[in-house]
């Protein structure tokens, strides 16, 4: 009886969601990252990165040629996972540093819960073992968090090579494997392998979308200033923007900065800007002003602020990397931030299906029953409670499989928010599936975060039964139970 009411209140996959109140009427300047913000790539790109890095492992790091039998599986990993560098384990961790049991993988095989609990003396990962502020494993930290969309091939390659060594009983050092894979993935970018491949077949790798041009044109028509700060090289950005926006794309931007080396761009005050001419040659003259129509390389945010005067909450910057693009801007500089989360659209579409809603409705009901009925200590009641606990576990696994068979949703573990969502909530004022979502809102629209009740503000299960109301948290709707 609940399902039809919930189905009539579907979530909009093209909506913009707010963590913090923000009015677009206050925003005068819009900034953008390039990769997975202004431009989206086809499924072929991750296969290219995986294959190129795999070949580098074989040709330059002398890994066995037999690892070529492993192909890229786009359905294996999700963003936001953690990797235990010393144990060679890939896993999902929630906002409270607890491992979600059933999502720990050694190679391509899940690790039994009992083994995970024995290794970690429970399922909690102490703060000192977690990655640093940018998700990197450094200074003795044993966990690396993969926050970049480009990291999906890296996680899959790590798992495949681990699988090969394990299946063939080859003794290896996990730390060396992690570093070699990381270096190979890095070299696919640094050596220009990825850039050359995309430029050579731009229609295969870039998803053409008129909406990117429409968003930029709408902002320009309303007198908004715009800038681009990207880590990608000049010729690569130029060809991509000509393809998705047009030959006149630079006329839309007041400032364009390439090879910025984010997040260092936001913190390192030492590197001055350099102008890039039409042939991609770096000029040596001192930069006194960032001019429209020009392309600049390197630089730093402090010099950028000095040359433009663009400061504070009148600036809204969009990026897909929660740490490298958004964290410093909101914490240190007071800019407003927008996160581009492409996975959001597909997850919302799943959440709008009748099967998912039925599963979640019953899971929530079952959890409430367990909470309410656990006071009954007689043997018959305890037997029923054990059956309900078993069913609840099965329902949770079913719920996870709606999204990703190995790791589930990007945003939730069984009950808690993921560590990824925790950082997203902290560093992004708003978030959306793509920039095209902006077309659904007027330039003076105010985003208001929903007031979701705190745990102590929620009525108890018994109160809900008495009043005849039942809360479905994931749709934020209250409906009558008959």
């Amino acid at each position: 009886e609940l399902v039809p009411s919930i189905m009539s209140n579907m979530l909009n996959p093209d909506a913009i969601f707010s963590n913090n109140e923000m009015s677009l009427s206050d925003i005068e300047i819009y900034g953008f990252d390039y990769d997975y913000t202004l431009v989206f790539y086809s499924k072929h790109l991750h296969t290219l990165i995986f294959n190129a890095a795999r070949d580098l492992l074989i040709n330059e790091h002398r890994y066995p040629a037999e690892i070529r039998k492993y192909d890229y599986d786009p359905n294996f990993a999700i963003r936001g996972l953690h990797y235990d560098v010393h144990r060679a384990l890939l896993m999902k961790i929630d906002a409270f540093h607890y491992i979600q049991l059933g999502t720990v993988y050694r190679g391509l095989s899940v690790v039994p819960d009992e083994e995970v609990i024995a290794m970690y003396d429970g399922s909690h990962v102490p703060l000192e073992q977690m990655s640093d502020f940018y998700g990197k494993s450094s200074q003795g930290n044993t966990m690396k968090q993969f926050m970049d969309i480009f990291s999906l091939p890296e996680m899959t390659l790590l798992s495949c090579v681990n699988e090969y060594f394990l299946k063939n009983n080859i003794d290896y050092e996990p730390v060396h494997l992690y570093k070699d894979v990381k270096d190979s993935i890095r070299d696919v970018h640094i050596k220009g392998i990825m850039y050359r491949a995309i430029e050579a077949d731009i229609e295969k790798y870039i998803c053409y979308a008129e909406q990117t041009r429409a968003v930029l044109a709408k902002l320009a028509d309303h007198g908004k200033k715009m800038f681009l700060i990207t880590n990608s090289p000049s010729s690569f950005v130029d060809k991509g923007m000509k393809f998705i926006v047009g030959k006149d794309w630079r006329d839309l931007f007041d400032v364009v900065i390439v090879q910025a080396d984010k997040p260092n761009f936001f913190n390192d005050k030492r590197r001055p800007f350099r102008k890039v001419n039409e042939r991609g040659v770096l000029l040596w003259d001192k930069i006194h002003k960032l001019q429209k129509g020009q392309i600049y390389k390197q630089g730093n945010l402090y010099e950028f602020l000095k040359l433009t005067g663009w400061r504070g909450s009148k600036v809204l910057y969009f990026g897909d990397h929660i740490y490298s693009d958004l964290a410093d801007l909101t914490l240190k500089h007071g800019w407003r931030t927008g996160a581009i989360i492409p996975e959001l659209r597909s997850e919302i579409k799943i959440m709008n299906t009748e099967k998912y809603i039925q599963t979640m409705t019953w899971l929530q009901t079952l959890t409430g029953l367990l909470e309410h009925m656990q006071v009954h200590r007689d043997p018959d009641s305890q037997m029923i409670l054990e059956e309900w606990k078993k069913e609840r576990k099965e329902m949770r696994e079913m719920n996870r499989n709606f999204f990703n068979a190995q790791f589930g949703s990007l945003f939730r573990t069984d009950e808690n928010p993921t560590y990824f969502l925790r950082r997203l909530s902290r560093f992004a004022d708003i978030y959306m599936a793509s920039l095209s979502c902006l077309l659904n809102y007027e330039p003076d629209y105010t985003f208001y975060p929903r007031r979701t009740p705190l745990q102590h503000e929620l009525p108890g299960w018994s109160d809900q039964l008495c009043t005849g109301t039942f809360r479905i948290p994931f749709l934020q709707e209250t409906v009558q139970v008959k």
Side-chain angles (χ1 to χ4, degrees):
E1 293 181 0
L2 287 169
V3 170
S5 298
I6 300 169
M7 293 288 291
S8 66
N9 290 279
M10 295 292 193
L11 292 168
N12 183 3
D14 295 315
I16 294 177
F17 301 91
S18 175
N19 292 319
N20 191 19
E21 185 173 326
M22 185 185 74
S23 177
L24 292 180
S25 61
D26 296 328
I27 305 301
E28 300 174 9
I29 304 123
Y30 285 76
F32 306 93
D33 180 35
Y34 177 69
D35 297 300
Y36 288 107
T37 300
L38 288 172
V39 63
F40 282 78
Y41 297 101
S42 71
K43 60 183 180 181
H44 301 293
L45 181 59
H46 286 177
T47 300
L48 166 71
I49 295 171
F50 179 93
N51 291 342
R54 183 191 59 195
D55 291 344
L56 287 172
L57 280 179
I58 295 169
N59 298 330
E60 297 191 7
H61 296 275
R62 301 296 184 263
Y63 276 67
E66 288 81 1
I67 65 173
R68 280 203 177 93
K69 71 179 182 180
Y70 292 100
D71 295 320
Y72 178 64
D73 179 1
N75 299 314
F76 176 68
I78 62 173
R79 236 186 338 156
L81 299 178
H82 281 78
Y83 183 76
D84 189 323
V85 174
H86 294 282
R87 295 187 174 99
L89 298 176
L90 188 66
M91 68 191 72
K92 185 176 176 183
I93 295 179
D94 72 14
F96 302 96
H97 293 198
Y98 282 91
I99 300 167
Q100 181 180 2
L101 297 177
T103 68
V104 180
Y105 276 74
R106 180 185 290 116
L108 301 175
S109 303
V110 67
V111 180
D113 294 348
E114 300 77 16
E115 188 176 341
V116 174
I117 291 169
M119 278 190 291
Y120 292 94
D121 195 22
S123 60
H124 183 262
V125 180
L127 177 63
E128 60 268 17
Q129 293 182 23
M130 300 291 282
S131 54
D132 66 13
F133 184 76
Y134 293 107
K136 298 177 181 178
S137 179
S138 59
Q139 298 178 356
N141 299 319
T142 60
M143 291 285 188
K144 150 78 179 179
Q145 189 182 18
F146 292 100
M147 296 292 279
D148 193 351
I149 298 176
F150 283 128
S151 66
L152 292 172
E154 183 176 357
M155 286 184 275
T156 307
L157 184 58
L158 268 171
S159 299
C160 288
V161 181
N162 274 315
E163 180 77 4
Y164 173 80
F165 286 154
L166 292 168
K167 290 290 186 183
N168 291 277
N169 296 315
I170 298 173
D171 191 23
Y172 68 104
E173 173 53 62
V175 175
H176 297 332
L177 171 60
Y178 166 73
K179 184 178 185 305
D180 291 343
V181 170
K182 181 182 71 172
D183 290 348
S184 296
I185 292 286
R186 180 202 63 196
D187 287 347
V188 172
H189 295 264
I190 289 180
K191 293 184 177 181
I193 299 171
M194 183 189 80
Y195 301 129
R196 288 193 296 271
I198 294 174
E199 289 183 39
D201 197 350
I202 205 162
E203 293 186 1
K204 176 181 179 180
Y205 292 107
I206 290 183
C207 299
Y208 179 74
E210 293 181 355
Q211 290 177 314
T212 300
R213 168 103 193 180
V215 170
L216 298 176
K218 179 180 179 180
L219 295 175
D221 289 343
H222 285 87
K224 306 298 182 181
K225 295 184 180 297
M226 288 180 282
F227 65 93
L228 170 63
I229 302 178
T230 175
N231 287 348
S232 294
S234 174
S235 63
F236 175 73
V237 173
D238 184 57
K239 289 184 179 180
M241 290 297 285
K242 284 178 179 176
F243 178 70
I244 62 172
V245 176
K247 293 182 179 180
D248 61 342
W249 72 270
R250 275 196 271 174
D251 295 339
L252 294 169
F253 289 89
D254 294 271
V255 178
V256 176
I257 300 167
V258 299
Q259 291 180 277
D261 191 28
K262 294 179 293 184
N264 292 330
F265 179 86
F266 301 127
N267 299 293
D268 190 346
K269 299 180 181 181
R270 296 171 295 179
R271 299 184 315 156
F273 285 107
R274 297 193 71 171
K275 188 182 293 185
V276 182
N277 70 11
E278 294 293 335
R279 299 189 305 276
V281 177
L282 289 173
L283 306 180
W284 49 262
D285 46 327
K286 186 175 178 63
I287 306 300
H288 296 281
K289 182 181 180 181
L290 298 177
Q291 298 175 322
K292 188 169 185 174
Q294 299 295 326
I295 294 181
Y296 299 91
K297 180 182 175 181
Q298 298 175 349
N300 64 83
L301 184 63
Y302 299 91
E303 189 71 12
F304 176 88
L305 297 175
K306 179 181 176 182
L307 295 173
T308 63
W310 296 345
R311 299 178 182 276
S313 58
K314 66 181 180 181
V315 184
L316 172 58
Y317 186 80
F318 292 95
D320 68 290
H321 198 300
I322 310 301
Y323 296 152
S324 295
D325 285 326
L326 308 180
D328 286 313
L329 293 177
T330 186
L331 290 178
K332 299 179 181 179
H333 303 286
W335 286 13
R336 310 311 294 264
T337 51
I340 304 299
I341 313 293
E343 302 94 333
L344 186 63
R345 183 173 281 114
S346 60
E347 291 216 6
I348 290 177
K349 288 180 179 179
I350 291 170
M351 292 168 63
N352 283 339
T353 61
E354 185 173 357
K355 190 173 182 181
Y356 175 84
I357 291 172
Q358 287 177 333
T359 303
M360 279 302 302
T361 304
W362 178 237
L363 182 57
Q364 294 291 80
T365 305
L366 196 57
T367 301
L369 285 168
L370 280 167
E371 181 180 9
H372 181 67
M373 302 299 287
Q374 64 184 323
V375 295
H376 298 282
R377 312 304 301 173
D378 60 281
D380 289 343
S381 296
Q382 288 296 306
M383 183 178 68
I384 293 172
L385 286 168
E386 288 304 314
E387 290 176 359
W388 283 350
K389 288 178 182 177
K390 181 181 177 182
E391 183 176 358
R392 182 171 180 254
K393 182 178 179 181
E394 292 171 354
M395 297 293 285
R396 281 178 159 183
E397 291 176 357
M398 186 185 301
N399 180 54
R400 185 177 71 204
N401 290 338
F402 280 121
F403 301 98
N404 176 282
Q406 291 74 234
F407 302 101
S409 167
L410 177 66
F411 304 100
R412 274 196 177 275
T413 56
D414 287 330
E415 288 294 333
N416 295 326
T418 57
Y419 197 84
F420 176 90
L421 182 61
R422 175 185 176 183
R423 310 313 275 170
L424 172 65
S425 301
R426 179 65 184 89
F427 299 137
D429 291 290
I430 56 175
Y431 63 100
M432 66 209 76
S434 69
L435 282 176
S436 63
C437 299
L438 282 170
L439 295 173
N440 301 322
Y441 299 85
E442 293 301 319
D444 59 352
Y445 187 89
T446 299
F447 295 100
Y448 296 99
R450 295 178 180 180
R451 183 184 172 92
T452 53
L454 303 174
Q455 290 299 308
H456 65 274
E457 296 174 329
L458 283 167
W461 176 257
S462 58
D463 294 334
Q464 291 177 342
L465 286 175
C466 293
T467 58
T469 60
F470 182 69
R471 171 69 71 175
I472 308 296
F474 65 93
L475 284 178
Q476 299 296 321
E477 292 293 332
T478 303
V479 297
Q480 295 294 319
V481 178
K482 298 181 180 179

